Amino acid sequence: RPTIWYWCILAQGDHPSSSRFPPCFRVRAPAMGKGFAIDKSLEANMHQYQIVGRAAPTPKNPTPKIYRMRIFARNVVLAKSRFWYFMKRLNKAKKSGGELLSVNELHDTSPTKVKNYGIWLRYDSRTNTHNMYKEFRNVNINGAVGQLYQEMAGRHRADPGSIQIIHATTIPDEKCRREHVLEMHDKKLKFPVIRKIPHAAKKLRTTFKAKRPQTFVK
């Protein structure tokens, strides 16, 4: 059966789960407060995958060359699709005429330590193809690549499908080049206290509270 989408105009204060709408138009209200839910597809949660594959063996080429790639994608399905995108341009191997030997997700060894990341990339603009180098600070490489996609979309209007990450790695402080990364290397770096929180009297302090504490001054 074809999927039919119904578009309704909601009055102010109405919700699609309201009884004002017929049953075919009602949807279940999300569990979050005030009827709003976060669309997971809008989050820049990137994952790093290592994919090994090759073109299918044929009588003409019984041992085809094996390729290994590091792919950044939001899920394993998109990572496999990206792998065959590059394989088709490398040796004209498609998903229907190839095979995957292994698919593994890679994780950082120290995901709680802030590091400098350098990313070399290529992307297609509306006029040409450009090479680019960018630096980011994050606790893991997935977060740095997520920052990259956000910046490329906002600053360069780059389509995510046109971005090809050539290399991404951690870099030491002395090899950083970008100002917004270098300014964070000062050992005496301090941040101003924007909101001063008054301390409660010692006799009123407890380990656990029944109410959520206020972290700002009224």
Side-chain angles (χ1 to χ4, degrees):
R1 294 175 57 188
T3 303
I4 302 175
W5 294 91
Y6 297 94
W7 293 88
C8 304
I9 300 177
L10 304 182
Q12 186 176 5
D14 284 343
H15 192 270
S17 61
S18 173
S19 59
R20 292 183 63 252
F21 296 94
C24 61
F25 288 98
R26 296 178 197 167
V27 296
R28 186 177 180 182
M32 293 188 65
K34 297 185 180 180
F36 292 100
I38 298 175
D39 187 357
K40 295 294 183 181
S41 65
L42 299 178
E43 296 182 358
N45 294 329
M46 305 299 293
H47 299 271
Q48 182 182 193
Y49 298 94
Q50 177 182 266
I51 302 181
V52 181
R54 64 177 182 176
T58 60
K60 189 175 181 180
N61 186 14
T63 56
K65 189 175 180 180
I66 297 175
Y67 291 86
R68 184 185 65 175
M69 298 184 193
R70 277 198 308 154
I71 304 290
F72 292 93
R74 286 187 296 179
N75 54 55
V76 67
V77 176
L78 296 177
K80 291 177 182 179
S81 175
R82 198 69 173 160
F83 175 81
W84 290 118
Y85 170 86
F86 291 119
M87 285 290 287
K88 188 175 181 181
R89 282 150 182 78
L90 284 171
N91 55 7
K92 299 182 180 179
K94 299 188 296 182
K95 180 181 178 181
S96 59
E99 57 184 4
L100 294 178
L101 304 180
S102 70
V103 179
N104 304 311
E105 184 174 357
L106 304 179
H107 301 277
D108 279 4
T109 55
S110 56
T112 57
K113 181 182 177 182
V114 179
K115 297 172 285 293
N116 309 311
Y117 289 97
I119 302 178
W120 289 259
L121 68 141
R122 178 188 300 119
Y123 82 100
D124 296 326
S125 68
R126 289 173 291 181
T127 56
N128 207 343
T129 302
H130 310 274
N131 295 321
M132 193 173 289
Y133 168 74
K134 285 187 174 291
E135 291 178 0
F136 300 97
R137 280 176 63 83
N138 210 299
V139 293
N140 56 34
I141 196 167
N142 295 336
V145 173
Q147 286 180 270
L148 168 73
Y149 275 92
Q150 293 287 343
E151 181 169 324
M152 293 299 297
R155 184 167 291 179
H156 303 282
R157 296 186 180 182
D159 184 76
S162 70
I163 299 174
Q164 301 177 12
I165 298 177
I166 301 171
H167 185 50
T169 184
T170 57
I171 53 177
D173 292 352
E174 58 271 12
K175 291 190 177 181
C176 292
R177 292 182 262 172
R178 300 296 184 252
E179 284 294 331
H180 70 279
V181 175
L182 292 174
E183 66 183 5
M184 306 300 292
H185 294 164
D186 187 4
K187 301 298 182 182
K188 298 181 180 180
L189 188 65
K190 297 180 180 180
F191 296 94
V193 179
I194 304 300
R195 293 173 175 175
K196 294 185 178 181
I197 304 173
H199 289 287
K202 194 169 184 179
K203 61 180 180 180
L204 299 177
R205 296 180 193 175
T206 57
T207 305
F208 302 101
K209 288 288 186 184
K211 296 171 62 178
R212 184 185 296 273
Q214 290 184 349
T215 59
F216 59 92
V217 179
K218 291 185 178 180

Coordinates of all heavy atoms in Angstrom, one line a residue, residues 65-104:
K65 N 42.0 -7.0 -5.9 CA 42.7 -6.2 -4.8 C 41.8 -5.8 -3.7 O 40.6 -5.5 -3.9 CB 43.3 -4.9 -5.5 CG 44.2 -4.1 -4.6 CD 44.8 -2.9 -5.3 CE 45.7 -2.1 -4.4 NZ 46.3 -1.0 -5.1
I66 N 42.3 -5.9 -2.5 CA 41.4 -5.7 -1.3 C 41.7 -4.2 -0.9 O 42.8 -3.8 -0.8 CB 41.8 -6.6 -0.2 CG1 41.4 -8.1 -0.6 CG2 41.0 -6.3 1.1 CD1 41.8 -9.1 0.4
Y67 N 40.6 -3.5 -0.5 CA 40.7 -2.1 -0.1 C 40.2 -2.0 1.3 O 39.2 -2.6 1.7 CB 39.9 -1.2 -1.0 CG 40.4 -1.1 -2.4 CD1 40.1 -2.0 -3.4 CD2 41.3 0.0 -2.8 CE1 40.6 -1.9 -4.7 CE2 41.8 0.1 -4.0 CZ 41.5 -0.8 -5.0 OH 42.0 -0.7 -6.3
R68 N 40.9 -1.2 2.1 CA 40.4 -0.8 3.5 C 40.3 0.7 3.6 O 41.1 1.4 3.2 CB 41.5 -1.3 4.5 CG 41.0 -1.1 5.9 CD 42.1 -1.5 6.9 NE 43.3 -0.6 6.8 CZ 44.3 -0.6 7.6 NH1 44.4 -1.5 8.5 NH2 45.3 0.2 7.4
M69 N 39.1 1.1 4.1 CA 38.8 2.5 4.2 C 38.3 2.8 5.6 O 37.7 2.0 6.3 CB 37.8 2.9 3.2 CG 38.2 2.8 1.8 SD 36.9 3.4 0.7 CE 37.4 2.7 -0.9
R70 N 38.7 4.0 6.1 CA 38.1 4.6 7.3 C 37.0 5.5 6.8 O 37.2 6.5 6.2 CB 39.1 5.4 8.1 CG 39.9 4.5 9.0 CD 40.6 5.3 10.1 NE 41.3 6.5 9.6 CZ 41.6 7.6 10.3 NH1 41.1 7.7 11.5 NH2 42.2 8.6 9.8
I71 N 35.7 5.3 7.2 CA 34.6 6.0 6.8 C 33.9 6.6 8.0 O 33.7 6.0 9.0 CB 33.6 5.1 6.0 CG1 34.3 4.4 4.9 CG2 32.4 5.9 5.6 CD1 34.7 5.3 3.7
F72 N 33.6 7.9 7.9 CA 32.8 8.6 8.9 C 31.4 8.7 8.4 O 31.1 9.3 7.4 CB 33.4 10.0 9.2 CG 34.7 10.0 9.9 CD1 35.9 10.0 9.1 CD2 34.8 9.9 11.2 CE1 37.1 10.0 9.7 CE2 36.0 9.9 11.9 CZ 37.2 9.9 11.1
A73 N 30.4 8.2 9.3 CA 29.0 8.3 8.9 C 28.2 8.2 10.2 O 28.7 7.9 11.2 CB 28.7 7.1 8.0
R74 N 26.9 8.5 10.0 CA 26.0 8.5 11.2 C 25.6 7.1 11.6 O 25.2 6.9 12.7 CB 24.7 9.3 10.9 CG 25.0 10.8 10.9 CD 23.8 11.6 10.8 NE 23.1 11.4 9.5 CZ 22.0 12.0 9.1 NH1 21.3 12.8 9.9 NH2 21.4 11.7 7.9
N75 N 25.6 6.2 10.7 CA 25.3 4.8 11.0 C 26.0 3.9 10.0 O 26.6 4.3 9.0 CB 23.8 4.5 11.0 CG 23.1 4.9 9.7 OD1 23.5 4.5 8.7 ND2 22.2 5.8 9.8
V76 N 26.0 2.6 10.3 CA 26.7 1.6 9.5 C 26.1 1.5 8.1 O 26.9 1.2 7.1 CB 26.7 0.2 10.2 CG1 25.3 -0.4 10.3 CG2 27.7 -0.7 9.6
V77 N 24.8 1.7 7.9 CA 24.2 1.6 6.6 C 24.8 2.7 5.7 O 25.2 2.5 4.5 CB 22.7 1.7 6.7 CG1 22.1 1.7 5.3 CG2 22.1 0.6 7.5
L78 N 24.9 3.9 6.2 CA 25.5 5.0 5.4 C 26.9 4.8 5.2 O 27.5 5.2 4.1 CB 25.2 6.4 6.1 CG 23.7 6.8 6.2 CD1 23.6 8.1 7.0 CD2 23.1 6.9 4.9
A79 N 27.6 4.2 6.1 CA 29.1 3.9 5.9 C 29.3 2.9 4.8 O 30.2 3.1 4.0 CB 29.6 3.4 7.2
K80 N 28.5 1.9 4.7 CA 28.6 0.9 3.6 C 28.3 1.6 2.3 O 29.0 1.3 1.3 CB 27.7 -0.3 3.9 CG 28.1 -1.1 5.0 CD 27.1 -2.2 5.2 CE 27.4 -3.1 6.4 NZ 26.4 -4.2 6.6
S81 N 27.3 2.4 2.3 CA 27.0 3.1 1.0 C 28.1 4.0 0.6 O 28.4 4.1 -0.6 CB 25.7 4.0 1.2 OG 25.4 4.7 0.1
R82 N 28.8 4.7 1.5 CA 29.9 5.6 1.2 C 31.1 4.8 0.7 O 31.8 5.2 -0.2 CB 30.3 6.4 2.5 CG 31.1 7.6 2.2 CD 30.3 8.6 1.5 NE 31.1 9.9 1.4 CZ 30.8 10.8 0.5 NH1 29.8 10.7 -0.3 NH2 31.5 11.9 0.5
F83 N 31.3 3.6 1.3 CA 32.4 2.7 0.8 C 32.2 2.3 -0.6 O 33.2 2.4 -1.4 CB 32.4 1.5 1.7 CG 33.4 0.4 1.3 CD1 34.8 0.6 1.6 CD2 33.0 -0.7 0.5 CE1 35.7 -0.4 1.2 CE2 34.0 -1.6 0.1 CZ 35.3 -1.5 0.5
W84 N 31.0 1.9 -1.0 CA 30.8 1.5 -2.4 C 30.8 2.7 -3.3 O 31.1 2.6 -4.5 CB 29.5 0.8 -2.5 CG 29.5 -0.6 -1.9 CD1 28.8 -1.0 -0.9 CD2 30.4 -1.7 -2.3 NE1 29.1 -2.3 -0.6 CE2 30.1 -2.7 -1.4 CE3 31.4 -1.8 -3.2 CZ2 30.8 -3.9 -1.5 CZ3 32.1 -3.0 -3.3 CH2 31.8 -4.1 -2.4
Y85 N 30.5 3.9 -2.8 CA 30.6 5.2 -3.6 C 32.1 5.4 -4.0 O 32.4 5.7 -5.2 CB 30.2 6.3 -2.7 CG 30.4 7.7 -3.3 CD1 29.6 8.3 -4.2 CD2 31.6 8.4 -3.0 CE1 29.8 9.5 -4.8 CE2 31.8 9.7 -3.5 CZ 31.0 10.2 -4.4 OH 31.2 11.5 -4.9
F86 N 33.0 5.2 -3.1 CA 34.4 5.3 -3.5 C 34.9 4.1 -4.3 O 35.8 4.3 -5.2 CB 35.3 5.5 -2.2 CG 35.1 6.8 -1.5 CD1 34.6 6.8 -0.2 CD2 35.3 8.0 -2.1 CE1 34.4 7.9 0.5 CE2 35.1 9.2 -1.4 CZ 34.6 9.2 -0.1
M87 N 34.5 2.9 -4.0 CA 34.9 1.7 -4.7 C 34.5 1.8 -6.2 O 35.3 1.4 -7.1 CB 34.3 0.5 -4.1 CG 35.0 0.1 -2.8 SD 36.7 -0.6 -3.1 CE 36.4 -2.1 -3.8
K88 N 33.4 2.4 -6.5 CA 32.9 2.5 -7.9 C 33.8 3.4 -8.7 O 34.0 3.2 -9.9 CB 31.5 3.0 -7.9 CG 30.8 3.0 -9.3 CD 29.4 3.4 -9.2 CE 28.8 3.3 -10.6 NZ 27.3 3.8 -10.6
R89 N 34.4 4.4 -8.0 CA 35.3 5.3 -8.7 C 36.7 4.8 -8.7 O 37.5 5.3 -9.5 CB 35.2 6.7 -8.0 CG 34.0 7.5 -8.4 CD 33.5 8.4 -7.3 NE 32.3 9.1 -7.8 CZ 31.1 8.5 -7.8 NH1 31.0 7.2 -7.4 NH2 30.0 9.2 -8.2
L90 N 37.1 3.9 -7.8 CA 38.4 3.4 -7.8 C 38.6 2.3 -8.8 O 39.6 2.3 -9.6 CB 38.8 2.8 -6.4 CG 39.1 3.9 -5.3 CD1 39.2 3.2 -3.9 CD2 40.4 4.6 -5.6
N91 N 37.7 1.3 -8.8 CA 37.9 0.2 -9.7 C 36.6 -0.3 -10.3 O 36.4 -1.5 -10.7 CB 38.6 -1.0 -9.0 CG 37.9 -1.4 -7.8 OD1 36.8 -0.9 -7.5 ND2 38.4 -2.3 -7.0
K92 N 35.6 0.6 -10.4 CA 34.3 0.3 -11.0 C 33.6 -0.9 -10.3 O 32.9 -1.7 -11.0 CB 34.4 0.0 -12.5 CG 35.0 1.2 -13.3 CD 35.1 0.9 -14.7 CE 35.6 2.1 -15.5 NZ 35.8 1.8 -16.9
A93 N 33.8 -1.1 -9.0 CA 33.2 -2.2 -8.3 C 31.9 -1.7 -7.6 O 32.0 -0.7 -6.9 CB 34.1 -2.8 -7.3
K94 N 30.8 -2.3 -7.8 CA 29.5 -1.9 -7.2 C 29.2 -2.9 -6.1 O 29.8 -3.9 -5.9 CB 28.4 -1.9 -8.3 CG 28.7 -0.9 -9.4 CD 27.5 -0.7 -10.2 CE 27.2 -2.0 -11.0 NZ 26.0 -1.9 -11.9
K95 N 28.1 -2.5 -5.3 CA 27.7 -3.4 -4.3 C 27.2 -4.8 -4.8 O 27.5 -5.8 -4.2 CB 26.5 -2.7 -3.5 CG 26.0 -3.6 -2.4 CD 24.9 -2.8 -1.7 CE 24.3 -3.7 -0.5 NZ 23.1 -3.0 0.1
S96 N 26.5 -4.7 -6.0 CA 26.1 -6.0 -6.6 C 27.2 -6.8 -7.1 O 27.0 -8.0 -7.3 CB 25.0 -5.7 -7.7 OG 25.6 -4.9 -8.7
G97 N 28.3 -6.2 -7.4 CA 29.4 -7.0 -8.0 C 30.7 -6.9 -7.1 O 31.8 -6.9 -7.6
G98 N 30.4 -6.9 -5.8 CA 31.5 -6.9 -4.8 C 31.2 -7.5 -3.5 O 30.0 -8.0 -3.4
E99 N 32.1 -7.6 -2.6 CA 31.8 -8.2 -1.3 C 32.5 -7.5 -0.2 O 33.6 -7.0 -0.4 CB 32.2 -9.7 -1.3 CG 33.7 -9.9 -1.7 CD 34.0 -11.4 -1.8 OE1 33.1 -12.2 -1.7 OE2 35.2 -11.7 -2.0
L100 N 31.9 -7.4 1.0 CA 32.5 -6.8 2.2 C 33.2 -7.9 3.0 O 32.5 -9.0 3.3 CB 31.5 -6.1 3.0 CG 30.8 -4.9 2.4 CD1 29.8 -4.3 3.3 CD2 31.9 -3.8 2.0
L101 N 34.4 -7.7 3.4 CA 35.1 -8.7 4.2 C 35.0 -8.4 5.7 O 35.0 -9.4 6.5 CB 36.6 -8.7 3.8 CG 36.9 -9.0 2.3 CD1 38.4 -9.0 2.0 CD2 36.2 -10.3 1.9
S102 N 34.9 -7.2 6.1 CA 34.7 -6.9 7.5 C 34.2 -5.4 7.6 O 34.6 -4.6 6.8 CB 36.0 -7.0 8.3 OG 37.0 -6.0 7.9
V103 N 33.4 -5.2 8.7 CA 32.9 -3.9 9.0 C 33.1 -3.7 10.5 O 32.4 -4.5 11.3 CB 31.5 -3.7 8.6 CG1 31.0 -2.3 9.0 CG2 31.3 -3.9 7.1
N104 N 33.9 -2.8 11.0 CA 34.1 -2.6 12.4 C 34.0 -1.1 12.7 O 34.4 -0.3 11.9 CB 35.6 -3.1 12.8 CG 35.8 -4.5 12.4 OD1 35.0 -5.4 12.7 ND2 36.9 -4.8 11.8

